Amino acid sequence: MLRRTWLPVLPVLLVLVGSAFTPAADAQPSPSNTTTAGARSTAITTYDFEARLLTLTNQRRARVGCGAMVRNVPMVRAARGHSSRMAYARQLSHRLSGEAYFSTRIVRAGYTPWRILAENIAWGSPSPTIIFNSWMRSAMHRQNIDNCRLRDIGLGVSYGGGYAWVTMDLGHH
């Protein structure tokens, strides 16, 4: 049986000034555009999901000549918080209603000072490999991951409705 997977992803890149950006358009998941019921799973722990995404990211960065991303605790805190809020709201967005811009979220989590920030988000797949591959098929997501100036990473995964909600925050002090 063929399995169709729909995976919305939204990138955003912010360079130098925290207030000088416009977040990408939002995509709202609905039952009619989600992954198939068979793909709904929480079989992998959030920690393992995040660890696998970090491994895939660093393997990719090595192939393009960038240094490995280093896990940053404040960025992890920001990413996990945002993923939890997206899962609760069942909405894929860089900025949920009543929420600060991602740069403000990251600063509030303790990542200061910074020179460049980026964020990739995704929803729908229970597989870190599928999420990562979807980012690689998107020029903007791939640019964020392949940007050698970005060195710190925070990954956050939260399950809601059986689906993984993923935030990848990237930065450089």
Side-chain angles (χ1 to χ4, degrees):
M1 170 166 56
L2 294 176
R3 182 180 285 176
R4 196 172 46 133
T5 301
W6 183 87
L7 180 65
V9 291
L10 294 173
V12 76
L13 175 64
L14 173 63
V15 179
L16 300 178
V17 182
S19 61
F21 75 95
T22 303
D26 297 341
Q28 295 184 10
S30 68
S32 63
N33 64 5
T34 61
T35 58
T36 60
R40 295 176 69 171
S41 172
T42 57
I44 183 172
T45 67
T46 57
Y47 179 82
D48 289 339
F49 200 117
E50 292 166 6
R52 181 68 183 139
L53 275 176
L54 180 58
T55 298
L56 291 166
T57 298
N58 283 334
Q59 288 171 348
R60 167 65 186 192
R61 287 174 61 86
R63 281 194 300 275
V64 298
C66 294
M69 286 282 183
V70 176
R71 187 175 172 272
N72 179 277
V73 173
M75 291 193 104
V76 169
R77 188 178 312 122
R80 286 180 177 168
H82 186 63
S83 290
S84 292
R85 285 186 291 277
M86 287 192 303
Y88 180 79
R90 303 290 196 270
Q91 181 181 0
L92 183 72
S93 176
H94 287 284
R95 185 176 182 208
L96 296 165
S97 178
E99 186 181 44
Y101 287 106
F102 85 99
S103 57
T104 303
R105 285 190 274 110
I106 292 169
V107 167
R108 286 179 182 163
Y111 189 78
T112 59
W114 57 268
R115 298 195 306 186
I116 181 173
L117 293 173
E119 180 173 81
N120 289 346
I121 58 176
W123 162 85
S125 176
S127 164
T129 302
I130 291 172
I131 296 274
F132 185 80
N133 288 338
S134 70
W135 284 339
M136 289 296 98
R137 288 187 301 271
S138 162
M140 291 179 68
H141 291 95
R142 190 174 53 252
Q143 286 173 352
N144 286 345
I145 291 168
D146 291 351
N147 186 336
C148 294
R149 292 174 51 208
L150 295 165
R151 299 177 186 153
D152 300 320
I153 190 168
L155 290 160
V157 175
S158 184
Y159 289 105
Y163 299 104
W165 299 79
V166 183
T167 303
M168 172 188 273
D169 286 331
L170 308 163
H172 173 63
H173 286 289

